[in-house]
Structure formats: C-alpha cells, structure tokens
Amino acid sequence: MNATTTDVLIIGGGQAGLATGYYLHKNGIPFIIVDTQSRVGNSWRNRYDSLVLFTPREYSDLPGFSFPGYRDQFPTKNETADYLENYAAKFDFPIQLNTTVNKVIKNNDFFRIWSNQDQYIAKNVIIATGPFQRKRIPSFASKISTGVKQLHSSVYKNPDQLLQGETLIVGGGNSGAQIAVEVSMRHKVFLSVSQLPVFLPIKLAGKSIFYWFDRLGILRASAQSFIGRKIQTRPDPIIGLELKPLIKSSRVQLMPRAIDAAQSSIHFLDGSVKEFANIIWCTGFELDYNWLNIPEALYNENGSIIHKRGITTVNGLYIVGMPWQSRRTSALIGGVDEDAKYIVNSIIENGPASMK
C-alpha cells in the first residue's frame, strides 16, 4: 500500500484537532486530520440527549469563527456538534473520517502511521484525541448480575434505556450530576461519591460563572501558577445548582464510594449493601496510547504522555487538548485556541517541515 505524505498528521478531529488545523491552515502548512467518527462533531452528538454545555457561546469559540447564536446562551450538544462540523467546512479542512490509527512509529526524522484505511508518512504528528479515550469501569462491575442494567455515561442517552426500579449513579462529576437530575424525574436515584460535591451556580448576578472566572483571572491562570496549582489539587465543582435541592429532599440520596459488588448488590465504603435495578457508571475515562509504538515517548503514572505545554520528549510529536495542558481551560472548546497556536508556532520554529 502506498503511503500518503504530509507535513503534519493530526490524530483526532474534535475541537483540539480543528483548532490546530486552523493555525496550520493559516500558516500554509500542509496537514491531514484523521478521525474515527463518521461525521465531524459525532463525539458530541453521541452523548446523552439532555447534555448542555456549562460554558456559554461567548466562551465556546474556536479561532477564526464565532459560535453562532446569542452569546450568553448555553449550547446543546447537537448545536456544539453542528458548530464543529460547520467550522471544518468553513475552512475546508482535509479530514479523513472513519479512520482509526492502529500504529505509529518513528523512523529517523519521519513518522509512519498505519490506520484501517491508509498509511501515512509525516514529519510531525499531533495527538488531539483528548482525555476521553477508553471507558473506565471498576473491575468489580463484572460481578454484577446480567439482570441489572449497566451503562457507562458515554452510552447513556436518556431514562428510556433503564429498567423499572432504583438507579445507582457512580461518580460525582458534572456528568454524574446532570444524569442524576434527569433520571430522578422517573426513578429513585442514589449517587455514589468519594466526597461531598461542591456546587457553583451556572450564573451569578445575571452573568455566566465563566464570566466571573475570566474576571478573576482563573481562566488565564497557568498550570504552574499559584492559582493553577491550587485548583488542580481540588475536585472540579458541579456547575449548576439543580442537584442540590434534590439531595436535600432525598430525591437523590448520596452514598459513599462503591467498592465491590455481588449479583444485584453494591457494597459501599461504609459497609452498607444495597440492590439496584440500574447502574450508570459516570466514572470517567482512561488514556489509551497502545497504538503509539515509540519507545522514546515518556508517560506519567496515569498513562498520560509527558510533555511541556504539548511538546513531548520526541521531536515532532505533539499533543493538544489535554486537561491543564497549559491552563484550566485547555481541554474546553473555548480554551484549546492558545495551546493549538503554541504548538503550530513550535512546528514553525523547528524549521520547514516539507515532505516534498
């Protein structure tokens, strides 16, 4: 099979890959974006039906193209997906969909990439797959009876998927909180958390909480700053107050951390045991770089690639769109801009990347 050559191959066609493509396009650097999805924006379309961003449109722009609509309104998941698709179309980015990268090696100064569709040779590779790669579900979930409906948050769509009966949601992040509110309208909900959630209003004095974060300098705080280091040591707050009164009224009942299971029962840290008809695992994701066959690449204990603001230890290998890559908003739609620009400038500074 003949290999397609390009200066830069971007792996991942979400917001991070698209923002990086914008700056490559702006600087006249040839590139190709590959993505496993069949349509740009599907990583958003495929999430639960009621999902609404907690960042308003004014804080959800990609470079060069504003998010349409009223700037202080919060977009739905489908509006976000359509925005990404329209963004790629506006700049006519070279995107190859339905393409899963299976292997990447480095041979001297070039990378060779194998996928289910084509092979590629590139001077630079930018990993823009983001933090949501492989579902994280605790190993004890395998002990649970097949009569219990188990879903990970990535495949949960709406309460119609659930069986009649009590529902356990494991994980107290923003997805867990939003799903708990929705499911509680039709089921008795129990929410298993490691620590009590901290709530912030989505709006304060008529302005988005992100407006106030911006005013306070939190959005611009670097990962190494005093504010940045402080924030990183604390769990993310729940944006929005909808869950708070439901907990107070016991419509959603908090449970300690789930630690084990047997048949339809879940065992909790405090020694309690309870049966459930449904379990929704809002337990996040794990990183998966099994396809990256480059021994020189270094990893942290959590499996993330070691980098300095997206520049890895391997010449020509970059990463964009990871949490706290340079600041609090690095993994958000409105925050990938600065990191993408920084990486493209680094590629330019390293000299011509011509594959011709």
Side-chain angles (χ1 to χ4, degrees), residues 171-188:
N174 278 281
S175 292
Q178 290 184 10
I179 292 172
V181 170
E182 178 176 78
V183 174
S184 72
M185 304 303 164
R186 291 168 55 178
H187 298 262
K188 174 62 178 177

Side-chain angles (χ1 to χ4, degrees), residues 72-332:
D72 62 345
Q73 287 187 346
F74 299 88
T76 66
K77 63 155 189 169
N78 287 337
E79 288 173 330
T80 304
D82 291 345
Y83 168 64
L84 296 181
E85 188 171 49
N86 292 335
Y87 185 87
K90 176 180 175 64
F91 298 107
D92 195 24
F93 288 156
I95 299 179
Q96 296 183 7
L97 299 169
N98 297 304
T99 302
T100 300
V101 170
N102 300 318
K103 184 178 180 181
V104 177
I105 66 169
K106 189 170 188 188
N107 188 2
N108 297 319
D109 292 332
F110 301 105
F111 295 89
R112 191 170 188 97
I113 302 98
W114 286 263
S115 78
N116 63 322
Q117 300 284 357
D118 296 299
Q119 294 181 21
Y120 307 88
I121 296 175
K123 179 72 175 181
N124 303 281
V125 168
I126 299 175
I127 300 172
T129 50
F132 307 122
Q133 295 176 18
R134 182 173 59 199
K135 293 180 286 188
R136 181 192 292 124
I137 297 176
S139 59
F140 63 78
S142 62
K143 301 179 183 180
I144 298 171
S145 166
T146 56
V148 176
K149 183 76 171 184
Q150 291 191 72
L151 297 170
H152 187 267
S153 59
S154 61
V155 295
Y156 168 81
K157 300 296 183 186
N158 56 59
D160 289 341
Q161 295 169 284
L162 304 179
L163 304 174
Q164 287 298 319
E166 296 182 332
T167 298
L168 175 68
I169 295 173
V170 182
N174 278 281
S175 292
Q178 290 184 10
I179 292 172
V181 170
E182 178 176 78
V183 174
S184 72
M185 304 303 164
R186 291 168 55 178
H187 298 262
K188 174 62 178 177
V189 170
F190 295 78
L191 179 62
S192 171
V193 295
S194 298
Q195 49 195 331
L196 292 177
V198 175
F199 297 94
L200 291 177
I202 198 165
K203 281 192 172 185
L204 185 63
K207 296 284 189 179
S208 160
I209 194 68
F210 276 78
Y211 169 87
W212 299 109
F213 287 165
D214 194 9
R215 293 286 175 168
L216 293 170
I218 293 174
L219 297 187
R220 297 182 300 276
S222 72
Q224 303 306 319
S225 68
F226 175 78
I227 294 176
R229 291 197 304 269
K230 276 284 189 183
I231 296 172
Q232 289 178 74
T233 61
R234 300 175 181 178
D236 286 342
I238 305 300
I239 306 296
L241 303 178
E242 295 85 356
L243 179 61
K244 195 172 183 179
L246 298 180
I247 293 173
K248 188 174 182 180
S249 67
S250 295
R251 194 157 146 191
V252 173
Q253 186 172 324
L254 290 183
M255 300 293 290
R257 183 165 63 91
I259 59 171
D260 205 352
Q263 296 302 313
S264 59
S265 298
I266 296 292
H267 298 242
F268 297 94
L269 187 61
D270 64 352
S272 60
V273 180
K274 185 167 177 54
E275 292 188 347
F276 298 96
N278 307 288
I279 300 174
I280 303 175
W281 300 104
C282 297
T283 41
F285 296 80
E286 297 173 337
L287 299 171
D288 184 4
Y289 297 115
N290 288 330
W291 46 268
L292 191 63
N293 295 74
I294 301 177
E296 299 87 350
L298 301 178
Y299 300 87
N300 289 324
E301 61 279 357
N302 65 353
S304 62
I305 298 173
I306 292 176
H307 64 87
K308 186 174 183 180
R309 200 175 173 183
I311 300 174
T312 76
T313 55
V314 177
N315 188 37
L317 181 66
Y318 303 91
I319 192 162
V320 178
M322 296 302 290
W324 285 102
Q325 182 159 318
S326 67
R327 56 182 180 168
R328 170 66 181 86
T329 56
S330 286
L332 302 180

